[in-house]
Amino acid sequence: MPSLDLRAIPAVDKLLHTTEAAELIARFGRPLTLEAIRAAQEEVRARRDSEATMPAAEGLMERAEALLAGWTRPTLVPVVNATGVILHTNLGRAPLSSAAVQAIQGAAQGYSTLEYDLQKGERGSRHTHAEELLQRLTGAEAALVVNNNAAALLLALSGLARRGKVLIGRTQLIEIGGGFRIPDVLKQSGARLVEVGATNRVHLADYEEALAEGGIRLVLQAHRSNFQIVGFHSEPSRAELAGLAHHHGLPLVDDLGSGTLLDTAAYGLKHEPTVSEALADGADIVTFSGDKLLGGPQVGILVGRADLIARLRKHPVARAVRADKLTLAGLSATLLHYLKDEAEREIPIWQMLATDAKIIRGRAKGWASALGTGEVIAGESAVGGGSLPGETLPTWYLALDSPHPERLLAALRAQRPPIIARLQDGRVALDPRTVLPQEEGALLLGVQKALQSLR
Ligand SMILES: *Cc1c(COP(=O)(O)O)cnc(C)c1O
């Protein structure tokens, strides 16, 4: 028989009166501490037929503390992004500008004019906050902000195509990350999908043929976002599609995905159609994300014809996917940067996109000398986040040699803040492009500690 005598487990009452317990109660509250002590006792009981010896009160309290630390450890914590992927979806896409952070804090701490008209002293609308800025910036008649771009598309389709058919070219039947598929969103909206053309080529005549059958409510165009078609490929231009849709009295809805207000070609990337260009081409509704190339908080933005936006604003789905006050505050502050022509200076992702490779090389060399190890190597940073598929920016990264690169990556992730790096040719690569200047100290300290931990 095992020597463990269950009656010897210190009683809860006794444990609760120890100084250790008092300290835990101060840190974690009484109910949770009590639960942890009981759980620690339970663990001892569960070990009854092992050769274990009875832990003293201190041992139990140590275990309770470990449990409490685990239960209360935050899961959403800041990390240093050294991957060189600027819009890293898993790492929260766009870091915000200081002004956006301040605006969010201001709206968070107290009450705000979220739905209050200061002039009239009566109820206002949450839709007023970003609309005027978006009108100015894109030239759109009207704008509407919702929770994210997937919601924007769901709203547009629910509001404008319900029980009707939606035309889309087979070249655009996309799935983006997180299981978001255009055909599924369409189904959810109650609309029916009518695919036209082939997977590589779609002609205007394919659309015309489908339109002749009738029952179509709108024509949809979707950005391919995360893949490219190469080779024998063609599809009608947005302007051609808009012309055709309008000829049949139908709207063209364009899911631009990332959506940009600046010309990406000025940053050595492929030219992405801007929101204004999509509208100028004749799109009646354009939808895009707030946290991709806009560089703001997570939102979905719809801009376009005033009559259509007014209809969508009244739709029940709009209420279900409305944006919250913190987001609206951060979005307005972000949009203001564009209006004041200071986006590249103030919005982190545009700073990152604009940083010259020579400057990045200097930073990587600085890291190498501060750490006394590593080699500075030419490589590529990615835009990511379903923007500009396949497009990269020249960069210089710090390559760290390790007999077990996977272990070094894990050790970097174990730092506070965690450092997320990537593997490149069997070495651990740290790309300065996506490391914010104020994070550099923490990064170097973390890398040092991670390297030491493996020695
Ligand atoms: C990213 C993307 C979406 C989804 O946007 P979220 O803001 O992540 O909801 C929808 N459509 C396209 C084409 C996209 O690139």
Side-chain angles (χ1 to χ4, degrees), residues 228-242:
Q228 292 165 299
I229 302 181
V230 292
F232 192 51
H233 162 61
S234 74
E235 61 194 346
S237 69
R238 183 186 295 103
E240 285 172 325
L241 273 187

Side-chain angles (χ1 to χ4, degrees), residues 28-315:
F28 300 101
R30 192 182 155 90
L32 201 62
T33 302
L34 187 57
E35 200 178 325
I37 291 173
R38 290 211 168 111
Q41 288 178 321
E42 209 41 56
E43 284 179 5
V44 175
R45 284 191 197 103
R47 278 192 320 227
R48 59 195 300 170
D49 49 15
S50 76
E51 293 303 307
T53 53
M54 175 60 59
E58 299 89 77
L60 272 172
M61 294 312 287
E62 261 170 42
R63 181 60 195 143
E65 181 172 7
L67 286 173
L68 285 164
W71 293 346
T72 56
R73 188 170 296 132
T75 53
L76 182 57
V77 295
V79 301
V80 177
N81 174 12
T83 64
V85 181
I86 296 173
L87 293 168
H88 199 303
T89 298
N90 303 145
L91 303 184
R93 290 193 184 153
L96 301 182
S97 75
S98 308
V101 171
Q102 271 173 31
I104 288 172
Q105 191 173 4
Q109 258 165 356
Y111 298 100
S112 65
T113 54
L114 179 63
E115 292 183 357
Y116 190 78
D117 187 324
L118 275 182
Q119 246 98 56
K120 296 187 187 145
E122 59 190 41
R123 183 168 204 269
S125 163
R126 77 172 60 216
H127 296 307
T128 54
H129 301 296
E131 173 161 23
E132 211 177 292
L133 290 169
L134 285 164
Q135 285 167 321
R136 268 184 202 279
L137 288 167
T138 66
E141 289 175 16
L144 176 59
V145 179
V146 295
N147 188 56
N148 57 10
N149 188 35
L153 189 61
L154 177 66
L155 173 59
L157 295 172
S158 307
L160 305 178
R162 193 158 187 83
R163 283 184 290 279
K165 294 190 233 169
V166 169
L167 272 194
I168 185 166
R170 287 204 168 88
T171 48
Q172 299 172 359
L173 280 177
I174 57 161
E175 170 178 327
I176 58 161
F180 174 94
R181 286 180 168 176
I182 294 275
D184 296 338
V185 180
L186 258 162
K187 209 179 290 166
Q188 208 56 46
S189 75
R192 256 183 50 220
L193 176 71
V194 180
E195 307 168 28
V196 299
T199 43
N200 59 329
R201 279 164 76 87
V202 181
H203 306 284
L204 205 57
D206 297 324
Y207 284 92
E208 274 166 356
E209 217 169 279
L211 281 164
E213 283 177 22
I216 312 289
R217 290 287 186 81
L218 66 82
V219 180
L220 179 63
Q221 151 136 335
H223 193 287
R224 268 188 287 279
S225 292
N226 52 7
F227 76 106
Q228 292 165 299
I229 302 181
V230 292
F232 192 51
H233 162 61
S234 74
E235 61 194 346
S237 69
R238 183 186 295 103
E240 285 172 325
L241 273 187
L244 182 68
H246 297 166
H247 180 71
H248 289 263
L250 301 173
L252 173 69
V253 172
D254 190 354
D255 174 13
L256 261 194
S258 183
T260 176
L261 300 181
L262 300 182
D263 180 7
T264 48
Y267 297 84
L269 297 161
K270 192 170 105 319
H271 175 75
E272 269 289 294
T274 64
V275 178
S276 313
E277 283 166 11
L279 289 167
D281 277 348
D284 299 275
I285 294 284
V286 174
T287 74
F288 57 103
S289 294
D291 54 351
K292 292 186 182 172
L293 283 174
L294 197 72
Q298 178 197 295
V299 288
I301 299 171
L302 301 105
V303 294
R305 263 169 53 192
D307 60 328
L308 301 181
I309 294 283
R311 257 168 74 190
L312 295 179
R313 197 168 279 160
K314 286 194 213 106
H315 195 277

